[in-house]
Amino acid sequence: MANDLSVTLDKSKTPWLVDIDQKNGANQVARSNQSQTITWQLTGDAASGNITGFSWLQQPNAGIFEDPVIAPNGNTMTMSDLNNSASTTGDWTYQLTIEVGGQSYQSAATSLTDTSTNPTIKNN
């Protein structure tokens, strides 16, 4: 299953925020014996920008996620997710930072429980 996430700018907020398609809730990664790749792609008004940072707001257990890798052109980022057992299930909230036109933007960081504004990866 593809885990492709569209990253845009939410210009309805002041200041503008990075908006990651949450697909009606946390981005869900099904259990699998194989590592799965999650890909963030800058689109829309963010397409001309670069991904500049990623940080966990909730630190996942070691061995689940590999460090994210930003593509040389800066507009995509990938990360491996090994969701292969009950011990790898959970919800992890993160913050993404991008730069567009020399300006830095971040995803919202209002609370760990607000999946409508905070991007979250959910291993089922």
Side-chain angles (χ1 to χ4, degrees):
M1 179 176 151
N3 297 294
D4 299 327
L5 308 178
S6 176
V7 179
T8 59
L9 284 174
D10 180 354
K11 294 182 173 181
S12 71
K13 311 283 190 224
T14 303
W16 295 348
L17 295 174
V18 171
D19 183 41
I20 297 142
D21 182 7
Q22 288 290 98
K23 301 176 184 170
N24 300 318
N27 288 297
Q28 299 189 30
V29 178
R31 186 169 297 163
S32 172
N33 289 330
Q34 304 294 318
S35 286
Q36 299 176 68
T37 301
I38 302 169
T39 302
W40 289 262
Q41 173 73 50
L42 299 184
T43 61
D45 291 337
S48 65
N50 295 295
I51 297 171
T52 58
F54 176 92
S55 61
W56 292 109
L57 298 180
Q58 288 174 285
Q59 189 64 43
N61 297 333
I64 299 173
F65 299 100
E66 290 185 6
D67 289 337
V69 176
I70 299 171
N73 67 6
N75 66 3
T76 61
M77 180 177 74
T78 58
M79 180 172 55
S80 292
D81 179 348
L82 181 60
N83 180 19
N84 62 355
S85 70
S87 67
T88 61
T89 61
D91 295 74
W92 292 280
T93 304
Y94 62 92
Q95 187 167 54
L96 186 68
T97 304
I98 69 172
E99 184 177 291
V100 179
Q103 179 68 38
S104 183
Y105 302 97
Q106 293 182 325
S107 54
T110 56
S111 75
L112 291 177
T113 58
D114 187 357
T115 59
S116 66
T117 57
N118 284 333
T120 303
I121 297 170
K122 179 181 180 84
N123 282 359
N124 295 321

